[in-house]
Amino acid sequence: MVRVISNRALNPTVYRMEIESPRIAERAEAGQFVILRADERSERIPLTVAECHRERGTFDVIYQVVGASTMSLAEKKEGDCLSDAVGPLGNPTDLAGMRNVIVVGGGVGCAIALPVACALSEKGARVTSVIGFRSRDLIILQEDFERCSARLFLVTDDGSAGEKGNVCLPLSSLLESGEKFDAVITIGPLVMMKFVAQTTKPYGIKTIASMNPIMLDGTGMCGCCRVTVGGVMKFACVDGPDFDAHLIDFDEAILRSRTYTAFEAEARERHCNLFRKEAKS
Amino acid sequence: MTGRHPMPTLSPRERIQSFSEVATGYDEATAIAEAQRCLHCKNRPCVNGCPVNVDIPSFVSLAAEGNFNEAYRVIRETSSLPAVCGRVCPQERQCEMRCTRGVKGEPVAIGRLERFVADNCKESAGPVKAAPNGKRVAVVGSGPAGLACAGDLVKLGYEVVVFEALHVAGGVLVYGIPEFRLPKEIVRRETENLRSLGVKFELDCIVGKTMTADDLFREGFDAVFLGTGAGLPRFMGIPGENAKGVFSANEYLTRVNLMKAYEADSETPVYRGRHVAVVGGGNVAMDAARCAVRLGSETVTVVYRRSREELPARREEVEHAEEEGILFRFLTNPVEVLTESGTAVGLRCVEMTLEEPDASGRRRPVVKEGSEFDLDADVVIMALGTSPNPLVRTAAEGLRTGPHGEVFADETGRTNLPRVYAGGDSVTGSATVIMAMGAGKRAARSIDEDLRAERK
Ligand SMILES: Cc1cc2nc3c(=O)[nH]c(=O)nc-3n(C[C@H](O)[C@H](O)[C@H](O)COP(=O)(O)OP(=O)(O)OC[C@H]3O[C@@H](n4cnc5c(N)ncnc54)[C@H](O)[C@@H]3O)c2cc1C
Ligand code: SF4
Ligand code: FES
C-alpha cells in the first residue's frame, strides 16, 4: 500500500498525482516508469514518473483517464492509498552527449517529455520544446516547459492556442533553419511519433521515441510490450522504453495498441454505471 | 492384485464451465487402501526417483495406518511444499516411474497420497524454530525456490525478508499454474505459514531496479538468494507473430490467473478467441489451452512439432485436456500467423516427420515437403518455453551469467560472488517445482554453512 499525497485535475481528463514511496523517489530517473494498481482488483497501469521529490520521498505521475482502472486512480483523494506501486522500471533516457536538443511532446505525452526536458536543461543542454494539443482546454504543463526550455513552440490542432497545426510544422522549420541539433526526443501518440520520425529522417538526426505499449508485469515476463525495432523483437519494459525512432515499426505498434480498445470501452461503461449507482444510493 | 485407485474428478462438462479444481482428491478410506498397496521395498527405488528423496515408503506406511499428521511430518523433512508437489510434480517420470508395483501393474499413487496427506494433516506441521541468530538473509523471488529457501532459513533462526517483483507472492504457482490445477488458496496457505514463522514479504520490489543486492548488503543483509525464475518468454520469429491476437502463454496465463480475467467483473481484459491455437507441448501449453476452453472458445487446438510420446506435459494434464475437448495436432509446426488488417485469423502450418533417433536418442523433427495447411485461429498462444528473467543480470554487480541470462551457480547454490546464492529456474532455465524447491533448500544449507563459518 502506498499513500496518495495529492491528486488533481490538470485538464478535464488529465490528472497529476503525488505518491509516497521513498524507494522509488530515490532511484527514478527521467524516462523511467512505475506500475500502479489503484485497488485490489485493478489492472496494473504503467505510468512514467513525471517528477521526483527526493526530499519528501514522493514522486508524481500524470495520467489520462481512459479505462476503468485509470478512473479508479482519478477517484483517489489526498490521504487515500493505492494498492501497489512498483518501480522504477525501464531504462533512463540516455542523455549523454546531448547539448542542443529538440523535445517534441504531444498531448498527455508531454507529461513524459517534461522530465526529459528538465533533466537536459539541468545538465546544461539547450532545450527547444515543441508541444502540441488538440485544443486550448487540453493544454497541460505549458509553464513547466517554459521554465526548462530555451525556446517553446506551442501548437494546437484547431488553432485555439499557439500556432494551428501539428508538431511537425515547427519541427520542420527548426530543422530547415540549418541549426545543428544533437537529437530529437519525441513522446506522444504513436501516430505523432511516426510523423516526427519521418520528418527528421531526411536530416539524419538521431531521433529517440519513448514507447508506451500495453504492459502487464513490466519485468520482461509476458512479452505483451513487444515492439519491432530494426526488424528485431524488443520488450519495451526491459529493453526500452526509448528506441531509435527511425527503426521502430510504428504501424505494427499502432495495431497492437488497439488490442483491448473494445474491452476498455466496455469496462469504462460498466465502471461509470457502477459509479452512478453508488452515487445514487 | 488390485490396480491403483483412480483420482475422482469433476466431469468434463462441469469443469469447462468453471475454474474449480479438476481433481477433487481421495477420501480417507481410498487413501488408506491406496497406501496399503505399497510393498515397502528394501531398496526403495521410489526414493531414488524423487529429486529431493522424500522418504516415500515411510510416509506411505504411516498413511496406511491413518496417521496422516506423522506422514506429513515425514514429507516435510525433505519437501517444503507437499500440497503443491502432490498436485503438480510429474510423478510418472519420477518416483512412480521407479515403483516396483509398476513393473507388472500400476505404481502406487504416490503423488495422490502426498496430496491427501498434505490436505488432511490437522496440525500446522511447521517444525520448531531455532532462537534468532542475529543474521539477516534477503530472498529474491517468491516462487518455489525462494519459498523453500526462506522456510529453511527462518527455522534455523535467520531473519528472512522475501522481495517479490509482482503484487502477490508465489511466482509461477500464482501467475502461471491455473486455479483448476492448483488452487491459489493452497499457495496462500504456504506463504501464510511462512509469515507466521516470521518471514517478511516485501512485494512490488524488483531487485536490480528498486534496489540492488549491494543496497541490500548495505541495509544489513548478510546474504542474498536469487530465486528469480525463468520468466522471459520465447517466440518463434515467424511472420505475423506480433499481430493482434498473438500472445505468449505467460501473458495469457498471467491475465487469467494472476489478474483473474475469468471473473465476470474483472477489470483486466483477456482476449477471448473463437478458435484458439496453442503452440507447444509442455505443461504451459496444456494450461493455456485449458484456460481457453474455460473462457468459452469454440475450438482449442494444441500444435506440437513432435509426436504424442514426446509431449513433455504431465500425463494427467494431457488426459484432462483431451477429455475437455482440446484437439491435438501432432507433428505439426507453424510457419506463419495469417492476419487480416493486423489481426490474427489463422495459423499456417507444415507437417513434420521424426528422423531416426540421433546419438542422444532424440528424434529430430523435419519438415514434410509440400505439407502446408491452414488452421483457423483468431487467438494464437506461444508456449515455447522461457529463459531466465532478464533483470536478474543487474541484481548484483559482477554476477556471472550465461548467454541466456542464466545465473551461474553450482549444485550448492553458490555463485561467483561471496554472499550471493542462486537456485531454481533462474539457474537451470525452466524446469519443475520440485527441482526449484530442492535448489532453494540446498542454497539455504550453503548459506547457513557459510555464515556459521564466518561466526567462528
Ligand atoms: C504455466 C506453467 C505451468 C507449469 N506447470 C508445472 C507442473 O505442472 N509441474 C512442475 O513441476 N512444474 C511446472 N512448471 C514449472 C515450475 O512452475 C517452475 O519450474 C518453478 O516455479 C520455478 O520456480 P522458481 O522459484 O525458480 O521461479 P518462479 O516460480 O518463476 O518464481 C520467480 C519469482 O521471482 C520473481 N522475480 C523475478 N525477477 C525478480 C527480481 N529482479 N526481483 C524480485 N523478484 C523477481 C518473479 O516475479 C517470480 O515471482 C510450470 C510453469 C508454468 C509457467
Ligand atoms: S517402490 Fe512403490 S511399492 Fe516400493 S516402497 Fe516405493 S512406493 Fe512402495
Ligand atoms: S510488460 Fe510484460 S514483458 Fe514487458
Side-chain angles (χ1 to χ4, degrees):
Chain A
M1 294 278 246
V2 293
R3 211 154 56 90
V4 174
I5 304 296
S6 67
N7 191 20
R8 64 195 164 83
L10 298 184
N11 77 22
T13 59
V14 176
Y15 287 70
R16 182 174 191 132
M17 183 184 269
E18 183 176 349
I19 299 163
E20 187 175 60
S21 170
R23 273 203 169 121
I24 295 175
E26 191 190 309
R27 284 207 161 239
E29 290 179 58
Q32 290 191 295
F33 63 95
V34 292
I35 289 185
L36 303 181
R37 279 192 343 133
D39 300 299
E40 213 19 74
R41 304 180 52 85
S42 308
E43 235 191 305
R44 296 168 63 91
I45 315 168
L47 293 170
T48 301
V49 175
E51 196 177 346
C52 282
H53 313 283
R54 300 225 153 94
E55 63 306 335
R56 293 208 289 276
T58 67
F59 67 92
D60 292 2
V61 290
I62 296 175
Y63 60 97
Q64 184 159 31
V65 175
V66 273
S69 293
T70 36
M71 256 183 229
S72 318
L73 275 189
E75 286 160 16
K76 294 285 175 187
K77 310 235 159 18
E78 179 187 330
D80 286 355
C81 281
L82 303 182
S83 179
D84 302 87
V86 56
L89 296 160
N91 302 303
T93 303
D94 182 7
L95 306 175
M98 295 192 183
R99 320 187 48 131
N100 193 20
V101 186
I102 306 177
V103 175
V104 184
V108 70
C110 290
I112 309 175
L114 180 65
V116 176
C118 289
L120 280 165
S121 93
E122 272 163 32
K123 284 186 47 178
R126 177 178 154 87
V127 178
T128 304
S129 297
V130 180
I131 56 176
F133 301 91
R134 281 213 311 281
S135 74
R136 174 188 199 97
D137 42 319
L138 297 179
I139 294 173
I140 53 168
L141 305 173
Q142 186 177 347
E143 287 114 65
D144 303 68
F145 273 102
E146 272 161 7
R147 235 173 287 135
C148 65
S149 315
R151 275 174 300 182
L152 175 69
F153 296 87
L154 171 73
V155 295
T156 51
D157 290 351
D158 62 2
S160 52
E163 204 180 343
K164 179 176 159 75
N166 67 45
V167 291
C168 293
L169 226 67
L171 179 62
S172 300
S173 24
L174 281 166
L175 297 174
E176 242 348 270
S177 73
E179 188 176 337
K180 278 233 19 88
F181 293 100
D182 299 311
V184 174
I185 300 177
T186 178
I187 303 156
L190 288 165
V191 182
M192 182 201 90
M193 294 197 285
K194 174 181 165 178
F195 284 112
V196 168
Q198 279 175 6
T199 308
T200 60
K201 185 104 201 246
Y203 298 89
I205 294 187
K206 171 170 168 184
T207 304
I208 296 165
S210 174
M211 300 296 279
N212 40 4
I214 299 169
M215 289 193 187
L216 191 51
D217 57 300
T219 66
M221 179 271 271
C222 75
C224 73
C225 64
R226 60 195 191 273
V227 282
T228 304
V229 182
V232 180
M233 183 189 290
K234 297 282 182 189
F235 287 5
C237 67
V238 289
D239 301 323
D242 295 348
F243 295 105
D244 181 340
H246 295 143
L247 299 179
I248 295 171
D249 184 341
F250 280 107
D251 293 329
E252 177 188 278
I254 290 167
L255 283 167
R256 288 188 58 74
S257 72
R258 297 191 188 131
T259 304
Y260 293 106
T261 322
F263 185 96
E264 264 161 26
E266 187 209 321
R268 187 163 52 221
E269 186 59 26
R270 210 163 22 159
H271 191 91
C272 285
N273 289 340
L274 205 71
F275 191 56
R276 261 179 243 132
K277 231 188 289 164
E278 274 170 15
K280 254 192 244 157
S281 60
Chain B
M1 253 206 240
T2 51
R4 67 188 205 158
H5 296 78
M7 178 59 119
T9 57
L10 299 179
S11 76
R13 197 161 341 119
E14 281 172 284
R15 282 183 218 167
I16 62 172
Q17 321 249 357
S18 81
F19 275 73
S20 306
E21 190 172 20
V22 166
T24 48
Y26 282 161
D27 58 23
E28 189 170 325
T30 313
I32 290 175
E34 181 63 30
Q36 284 168 345
R37 293 181 64 234
C38 175
L39 305 170
H40 312 290
C41 312
K42 283 247 155 46
N43 55 344
R44 303 151 62 89
C46 50
V47 179
N48 295 327
C50 172
V52 299
N53 308 117
V54 168
D55 186 350
I56 294 165
S58 303
F59 104 73
V60 172
S61 44
L62 287 162
E65 295 161 14
N67 189 350
F68 304 121
N69 292 341
E70 197 52 25
Y72 185 70
R73 202 194 50 73
V74 169
I75 303 174
R76 281 297 301 235
E77 279 170 13
T78 39
S79 168
S80 312
L81 303 164
V84 176
C85 292
R87 286 172 165 84
V88 306
C89 272
Q91 288 96 359
E92 74 269 17
R93 262 178 274 139
Q94 300 178 0
C95 53
E96 293 179 13
M97 186 176 84
R98 309 274 186 96
C99 175
T100 316
R101 269 277 190 178
V103 177
K104 284 213 196 98
E106 288 179 300
V108 174
I110 301 169
R112 294 169 188 173
L113 288 173
E114 180 182 21
R115 166 183 166 165
F116 180 86
V117 164
D119 288 357
N120 291 278
C121 88
K122 293 289 179 297
E123 293 147 40
S124 85
V128 246
K129 215 178 120 180
N133 62 19
K135 296 276 174 183
R136 302 175 73 204
V137 181
V139 169
V140 185
S142 63
L147 295 179
C149 185
D152 282 8
L153 288 171
V154 79
K155 283 176 211 152
L156 289 167
Y158 290 88
E159 185 186 332
V160 183
V161 182
V162 178
F163 295 90
E164 167 57 49
L166 294 172
H167 60 265
V168 190
V172 169
L173 306 182
V174 293
Y175 78 70
I177 305 181
E179 179 76 19
F180 54 80
R181 203 147 74 78
L182 177 65
K184 299 307 146 231
E185 177 56 25
I186 288 170
V187 185
R188 207 190 53 83
R189 224 184 293 149
E190 294 294 350
T191 52
E192 276 313 305
N193 194 23
L194 289 178
R195 279 201 177 92
S196 69
L197 289 172
V199 175
K200 287 199 195 71
F201 286 84
E202 286 223 31
L203 305 175
D204 296 322
C205 269
I206 303 179
V207 175
K209 284 286 174 191
T210 313
M211 74 280 271
T212 62
D214 303 310
D215 293 327
L216 292 171
F217 291 132
R218 233 168 283 135
E219 284 180 28
F221 285 96
D222 299 287
V224 173
F225 172 74
L226 302 171
T228 46
L232 183 72
R234 292 197 201 115
F235 287 89
M236 297 189 80
I238 57 175
E241 208 170 18
N242 291 341
K244 253 165 80 172
V246 184
F247 305 94
S248 76
N250 269 1
E251 176 184 357
Y252 193 77
L253 290 168
T254 301
R255 286 180 183 275
V256 174
N257 300 319
L258 183 70
M259 307 306 289
K260 305 263 182 274
Y262 61 87
E263 291 177 355
D265 56 346
S266 169
E267 284 186 14
T268 304
V270 67
Y271 208 80
R272 298 178 190 225
R274 280 181 63 196
H275 302 291
V276 177
V278 180
V279 184
N283 287 317
V284 186
M286 298 307 129
D287 286 343
R290 296 173 70 198
C291 284
V293 166
R294 285 162 173 77
L295 290 171
S297 300
E298 282 168 35
T299 64
V300 180
T301 310
V302 170
V303 175
Y304 181 54
R305 66 195 182 117
R306 296 172 191 265
S307 67
R308 176 183 294 270
E309 288 65 53
E310 285 89 5
L311 273 179
R314 290 181 82 221
R315 194 187 305 138
E316 190 181 50
E317 311 311 332
V318 178
E319 287 164 11
H320 285 165
E322 287 184 312
E323 290 163 13
E324 289 162 16
I326 288 159
L327 309 168
F328 286 81
R329 285 275 192 164
F330 293 110
L331 292 166
T332 301
N333 206 29
V335 290
E336 181 180 354
V337 178
L338 305 171
T339 61
E340 267 170 29
S341 32
T343 304
V345 292
L347 194 61
R348 177 155 297 163
C349 301
V350 288
E351 288 175 23
M352 313 292 282
T353 49
L354 290 181
E355 282 185 334
E356 286 311 304
D358 61 15
S360 68
R362 291 270 281 185
R363 305 181 64 191
R364 207 167 61 91
V366 287
V367 177
K368 209 193 271 180
E369 280 303 317
S371 62
E372 218 169 77
F373 70 97
D374 295 344
L375 280 177
D376 277 347
D378 50 357
V379 164
V380 177
I381 301 171
M382 296 294 178
L384 307 156
T386 48
S387 314
N389 277 336
L391 292 178
V392 73
R393 271 171 272 176
T394 53
E397 175 104 40
L399 181 69
R400 274 189 59 212
T401 56
H404 303 290
E406 67 279 22
V407 179
F408 284 131
D410 62 17
E411 260 300 290
T412 66
R414 292 178 176 93
T415 68
N416 67 310
L417 298 176
R419 296 167 182 267
V420 178
Y421 303 77
D425 283 7
S426 64
V427 172
T428 57
S430 34
T432 58
V433 171
I434 187 93
M435 303 282 267
M437 192 207 75
K441 289 180 78 74
R442 283 196 302 279
R445 202 174 313 139
S446 306
I447 291 171
D448 186 44
E449 277 169 20
D450 295 354
L451 293 182
R452 262 174 209 283
E454 260 177 37
R455 258 173 277 164
K456 281 193 189 130

